[in-house]
Amino acid sequence: MAEEIDWDSLTFSLTPTDTMYLTETSADDPWMPGNLRPYGPIEMSPAAGVMNYGQGLFEGMKAYRTSKGRVVFFRPEENARRMQRGADRLKMPPVPESIFVDAVEQCVQANLKWVPPTGKGAMYVRPLLMGSGAVLGVSPAPSYTFLVYVTPVGPYFKGGVTAIDLLISEEFHRAAPGGSGGVKAIGNYAPGMMPSKNAKAAGFAEVIYLDAETHTFVEEVGAANFFCVKDGVLYTPELTGTILPGITRDSIIQLARHNGMEVQETKVSAQFAMAADEAFCCGTAAVISPIGSITKGESKVTYGDGQPGSVTQQLYNQLVGIQNETLEDLFGWLHEVPL
Ligand code: PLP
Ligand code: COI
């Protein structure tokens, strides 16, 4: 492990590591395995498709150092498949799952000393797929780059696992029907920066986006999925194409059903969410973050006195327990990185 790092003060920010992975292909050729190289700038044409028209995708995944001394990924094949679906949507050549998984493994192996100790954080792994070839008209780039870099991270929200205060955005939307909200297109994120910054300046941790058609139903919390609990039932917005199908979201649904809980993937109105008993958001970066309050215009509701509700706490313990290998990997979600 890197001795110079103070693992206790890790936040969700970039610490440059030693090595990254890169491979390139033309639009018509198959992907070939790439190579590791020193972490650092890459050269690209000013006319690259990604820089001019946002033809790019990213993924976010974590490698954990577990209580058994192993380093594991959490369901990396799901990230590979989500990137393939995104590639289809943005007219890019999908990276085969075997190349994707091999790339993220190699990157973690090459930067092993940066994987935090158990319970102190994780190694965040960031695969990027982009149209790197030059193109002037609005059309797919002639060539593509797939690269992976890694960085050790701590909690996504300031304050770690404490309940967060959220603001429902009444003016801005993240995604429209038929658009790219259901894939991890890089272009989905910049339009959220201003609403998010404004909300943070007003004391909130993030914004909640409602659906763009009716302004009624909860879609996502910034870059995380939304859940709430009402009368013992777990609710989460159904995947309608405008919501990113989170891998953490899917895992939580499976865990809750395994616990015998009823789970409803359905339309969740802001009104319903604000009358719920518990609420939380989840994602690779956010893990499970309990929601302490939601504000919409002049109304504000609070949940559980700033303490996570019992369902939220149980799901958090189960998810993190599986990731740390203090609990059994009941669903076969862990993927060992050979050391
Ligand atoms: N929603 C958005 C918009 C995201 O960017 C992310 C992060 O990847 C998520 C939800 C959570 O997805 P996952 O659990 O796969 O990390
Ligand atoms: C993730 O949860 O991995 C994300 O992508 C969230 C954010 C850092 C974009």
Side-chain angles (χ1 to χ4, degrees):
M1 280 174 255
E3 275 120 38
E4 59 271 38
I5 292 206
D6 174 9
W7 299 111
D8 288 313
S9 46
L10 275 182
T11 58
F12 194 86
S13 56
L14 184 73
T15 303
T17 51
D18 299 322
T19 308
M20 64 186 194
Y21 172 103
L22 192 144
T23 180
E24 292 167 293
T25 190
S26 80
D28 305 318
D29 291 324
W31 285 100
M32 301 301 279
N35 304 106
L36 293 172
R37 59 166 76 184
Y39 174 85
I42 55 170
E43 210 165 75
M44 225 185 270
S45 162
V50 65
M51 287 201 278
N52 291 259
Y53 302 122
Q55 195 190 20
L57 292 167
F58 71 96
E59 267 302 328
M61 49 208 293
K62 280 177 175 168
Y64 305 87
R65 197 180 287 276
T66 77
S67 59
K68 292 189 178 161
R70 307 199 302 163
V71 173
V72 299
F73 277 114
F74 186 72
R75 308 183 71 188
E77 306 79 10
E78 296 298 326
N79 296 90
R81 288 177 203 146
R82 186 166 64 190
M83 184 170 257
Q84 291 182 333
R85 294 194 298 271
D88 283 339
R89 180 66 184 82
L90 299 193
K91 204 62 196 149
M92 298 196 280
V95 177
E97 190 177 313
S98 57
I99 291 185
F100 181 103
V101 173
D102 174 58
V104 294
E105 274 191 359
Q106 282 197 46
C107 233
V108 170
Q109 284 163 339
N111 294 288
L112 215 48
K113 66 178 186 192
W114 303 97
V115 183
T118 313
K120 301 275 183 193
M123 172 168 273
Y124 190 73
V125 179
R126 179 49 72 81
L128 297 175
L129 171 61
M130 58 198 146
S132 44
V135 61
L136 189 61
V138 181
S139 59
S143 58
Y144 293 85
T145 299
F146 173 61
L147 84 74
V148 183
Y149 67 90
V150 299
T151 183
V153 296
Y156 186 61
F157 291 111
K158 268 191 218 154
V161 191
T162 50
I164 53 173
D165 298 310
L166 298 177
L167 175 68
I168 291 184
S169 173
E170 297 191 285
E171 193 180 353
F172 300 105
H173 294 288
R174 196 188 81 89
S180 60
V183 300
K184 240 169 132 56
I186 59 171
N188 292 345
Y189 293 82
M193 292 179 188
M194 183 265 277
S196 175
K197 274 273 176 204
N198 291 350
K200 285 175 185 164
F204 298 98
E206 239 326 327
V207 291
I208 295 181
Y209 290 109
L210 301 182
D211 76 285
E213 271 180 302
T214 69
H215 321 289
T216 309
F217 302 107
V218 173
E219 298 229 304
E220 302 209 42
V221 178
N225 293 115
F226 180 85
F227 280 85
C228 62
V229 181
K230 178 79 179 155
D231 299 329
V233 177
L234 186 63
Y235 294 85
T236 192
E238 64 184 334
L239 300 176
T240 53
T242 52
I243 294 173
L244 192 81
I247 295 157
T248 319
R249 174 189 180 280
D250 179 72
S251 308
I252 286 168
I253 292 171
Q254 290 193 47
L255 279 171
R257 289 195 173 134
H258 171 81
N259 295 344
M261 199 172 185
E262 181 182 342
V263 182
Q264 296 249 2
E265 293 182 70
T266 181
K267 289 195 185 324
V268 178
S269 70
Q271 197 181 12
F272 181 86
M274 290 177 82
D277 305 322
E278 297 179 31
F280 63 88
C281 65
C282 71
T284 298
V287 192
I288 289 181
S289 293
I291 297 172
S293 75
I294 297 181
T295 299
K296 183 170 190 281
E298 298 299 308
S299 340
K300 175 175 180 178
V301 295
T302 57
Y303 304 86
D305 278 343
Q307 294 305 310
S310 58
V311 174
T312 307
Q313 187 68 56
Q314 186 190 8
L315 290 167
Y316 176 89
N317 292 347
Q318 286 177 293
L319 181 69
V320 171
I322 290 174
Q323 291 169 341
N324 289 337
E325 289 200 287
T326 51
L327 292 179
E328 193 189 339
D329 179 17
L330 285 174
F331 302 89
W333 284 337
L334 302 185
H335 175 110
E336 184 172 5
V337 178
L339 301 182

